[in-house]
Amino acid sequence: MSSYYKTADLAKFPTMGEAAPELWEKFMSYYSAVFQEGALSTREKALIALAVAHALQCPYCIEAYTRESLENGSNEEQMTEAVHVAAAIRGGAALVHGVQMKNITAKLGF
């Protein structure tokens, strides 16, 4: 079965800098700095990125940060827990926005 997202396309990510090399360089400089060891370890940062990738539902990011997490010493249990954290936050965010619906319903008198 063919998929819209193709694993091979992940390797093409750098081509996004071809038409705007200065912007690409700035992005890559920032991106590289973010993932350097700091107050958070590279392992922790990879797990955060994996969780965010799932919340954003980016298959390319999921692939990249699954690999990155494994390479930085995480195991499947830790990665699965990070995915559940993302799911809980995403679900909670959807539910808390229900307050807006309740506010509008009250305002309209229903």
Side-chain angles (χ1 to χ4, degrees), residues 44-96:
E44 292 167 325
K45 290 179 179 188
L47 284 170
I48 292 167
L50 180 63
V52 171
H54 279 81
L56 295 176
Q57 299 176 331
C58 174
Y60 300 116
C61 299
I62 291 169
E63 180 176 341
Y65 290 106
T66 296
R67 290 176 188 275
E68 190 77 18
S69 292
L70 290 168
E71 289 169 2
N72 280 284
S74 294
N75 60 37
E76 188 175 358
E77 181 181 14
Q78 294 163 332
M79 294 187 304
T80 300
E81 193 169 313
V83 171
H84 278 279
V85 170
I89 296 301
R90 188 167 175 140
L95 286 171
V96 77

